[in-house]
Amino acid sequence: MTVRRFTRRHAIGGVTAGALLAGLLVAAPAHAQPVPSPGLDEAALDASLQAVHEAGIHGLYSAADTGTGERWRGAAGVADVTTGRPTTPQMRHRVGSVTKSFVAVAVLQQVAAGRVDLDAPVGAYLPGLLPEAQGSAVTVRMLLNHTSGIGDYVAGAFPSLGEGSGASLDENRLDRVAPEELVRIGLAAPPTGAAGERHAYSNTNYIIAGLLMEEVTGQDVEDYLAERVIAPAGLRHTSLPRTAAIRGPHAGMYEALYGLLDPPRDYRTYDPSWFWTAGALVSTAADLDAFYAALFDGTLLPPEQLAEMQRTVPVEDAAGQVVGAYGLGIYPAQFTCGTFWGHDGVVWGAGTMAFADPDGGRQVAVGSTLTKYQTVGEDGMLEPHPADAALVQHLNVALCGTEIPDPTALPRLAASSATPLPGAGTATGAPR
């Protein structure tokens, strides 16, 4: 398995620069054509999910759908490491940056309604939020595809991470923070480039998008999402919560912070204002499948706006090589049977991956209750972990109905654990 060097800081909500995950998943051979996937093999799905648990993840829940009414729901491991309570497929989970897909849909609904122009400057909707030069140069589209050049707020909001300490994760964890304060912290961070210059994943972008939604609609974004995105998609267990405790059945969410927290610490209770429209959504695996199905079947957006979501910008690694692509709140990932679209996410202790066939076929979503379980080598690189390859194997079984011949040859999935390295200081970055 190959590894990538940590280069750029961004974090809580999930993946690295958009479709970077596409480079972390197995790519279909260049000569291969996408092929229809067979029915769901429940035994193979159960076994592949159990393999992720056996590779070291405390607990998991997953859901797969074929688009023809065939469904599978599964769980593995424990929801609580102290009591041994088992996980169940219906457990609610903090889904991190999968939130960005929901927020992008909300903004694009306002585009369809004629209230927002994707290529208008942010300052036209939120005068005074950004410095004048940025407010005139950064467009709504640049927020959604992470080409704004605005820095990420996470390192500034959790400063102890750069000092080799996890103390910041506990400080003020139950206090509310205003989104404007998160934007201020992001603006104080080093910019990632000029507006429109390149993709650089920044959670600050989606905090600004949340403020824009509230300004345009005159409605709390939590209520808008519930009424215009969650309800039309038929989701029953999804919300952008206002309370620190998760309502309904859920598991512990254990953060290892690359060995700094040993044993991993439970962060299931955390005020959602620290993540808000960048990564605070709570959902279930089955609801995420239903959301992406509703997105791609036209329930949530007209065709023109759905096409805008799939207009991508290149994602480059630290050496300037293109390693993926990112659209508006979604990105493409290659599996052995073709291209699927979705997002992944990480908040403290909770990891999520969700992908769908944009032609209305399969969807899969999986949540995990242990994050940043990898270790860091002396050269500053993440050491490969068996759970990463096992997770990719499970996703491929769900989407393509087949196993990857040699999952150990795959790049690891550490890029979705996007958090500044303990002790990295302010000059280095996050795992990609």
Side-chain angles (χ1 to χ4, degrees):
M1 296 173 72
T2 62
V3 289
R4 297 184 192 275
R5 190 169 296 277
F6 305 148
T7 54
R8 194 177 301 164
R9 176 171 295 144
H10 57 271
I12 62 163
V15 309
T16 68
L20 240 172
L21 185 61
L24 302 174
L25 296 171
V26 60
H31 64 275
Q33 296 296 320
V35 295
S37 298
L40 296 173
D41 184 335
E42 295 190 2
L45 286 164
D46 288 338
S48 62
L49 190 65
Q50 180 66 22
V52 185
H53 166 58
E54 292 174 356
I57 304 304
H58 295 333
L60 302 110
Y61 10 77
S62 184
D65 295 72
T66 64
T68 60
E70 188 179 2
R71 299 174 176 177
W72 168 86
R73 307 289 184 257
V78 298
D80 190 300
V81 298
T82 301
T83 67
R85 174 171 57 96
T87 55
T88 64
Q90 299 80 20
M91 284 184 162
R92 300 178 190 186
H93 190 65
R94 298 191 188 277
V95 302
S97 272
V98 177
T99 306
K100 293 179 173 68
S101 295
F102 285 70
V103 173
V105 166
V107 173
L108 286 162
Q109 287 177 343
Q110 295 304 299
V111 172
R115 299 187 186 96
V116 173
D117 182 343
L118 277 175
D119 296 308
V122 172
Y125 304 100
L126 296 167
L129 180 68
L130 305 180
E132 185 175 352
Q134 283 178 301
S136 333
V138 174
T139 67
V140 177
R141 185 188 302 275
M142 292 175 194
L143 296 178
L144 300 184
N145 66 14
H146 296 292
T147 61
S148 71
I150 297 171
D152 197 296
Y153 73 84
V154 173
F158 304 97
S160 76
L161 296 177
E163 302 166 356
S165 166
S168 291
L169 276 63
D170 297 299
E171 295 168 359
N172 308 316
R173 65 185 287 180
L174 299 181
D175 294 343
R176 295 199 66 76
V177 58
E180 292 85 356
E181 175 63 11
L182 299 179
V183 174
R184 185 195 67 77
I185 296 171
L187 291 172
T192 60
E197 179 182 0
R198 62 184 177 88
H199 174 101
Y201 196 92
S202 172
N203 289 288
T204 312
N205 290 320
Y206 273 77
I207 299 295
I208 298 171
L211 290 169
L212 184 149
M213 279 296 301
E214 295 196 330
E215 180 66 26
V216 169
T217 66
Q219 187 176 13
D220 287 349
V221 71
E222 295 90 345
D223 296 333
Y224 182 95
L225 289 174
E227 296 170 11
R228 297 289 301 277
V229 180
I230 292 168
L235 313 186
R236 301 179 57 192
H237 307 296
T238 299
S239 67
L240 193 66
R242 293 179 169 93
T243 60
I246 298 175
R247 297 174 179 173
H250 62 280
M253 297 173 190
Y254 300 94
E255 176 61 57
L257 205 61
Y258 308 115
L260 185 64
L261 302 178
D262 187 15
R265 193 170 300 162
D266 187 352
Y267 287 103
R268 76 183 81 183
T269 302
Y270 218 100
D271 192 278
S273 62
W274 291 97
F275 315 132
W276 202 46
T277 46
L281 199 78
V282 169
S283 190
T284 65
D287 268 14
L288 293 183
D289 283 354
F291 165 74
Y292 284 107
L295 173 60
F296 290 116
D297 72 11
T299 298
L300 298 176
L301 287 176
E304 181 180 353
Q305 280 67 50
L306 181 56
E308 291 285 3
M309 287 193 82
Q310 294 175 279
R311 285 182 59 185
T312 62
V313 293
V315 175
E316 298 178 350
D317 64 13
Q321 296 181 324
V322 175
V323 294
Y326 195 93
L328 305 184
I330 57 174
Y331 59 85
Q334 296 295 321
F335 292 85
T336 57
C337 58
T339 303
F340 294 78
W341 290 76
H343 215 290
D344 70 338
V346 173
V347 288
W348 312 127
T352 305
M353 293 178 140
F355 297 100
D357 177 352
D359 294 327
R362 294 199 176 199
Q363 302 89 35
V364 64
V366 58
S368 58
T369 67
L370 176 66
T371 55
K372 304 173 200 71
Y373 47 82
Q374 299 91 349
T375 58
V376 183
E378 293 182 359
D379 59 355
M381 307 278 281
L382 281 187
E383 300 291 345
H385 194 286
D388 296 335
L391 182 54
V392 174
Q393 185 74 278
H394 174 70
L395 294 170
N396 205 78
V397 168
L399 293 172
C400 300
T402 59
E403 292 190 351
I404 301 165
D406 182 12
T408 62
L410 297 176
R412 83 294 181 261
L413 290 174
S416 63
S417 302
T419 298
L421 283 176
T426 57
T428 60
R432 301 265 322 208

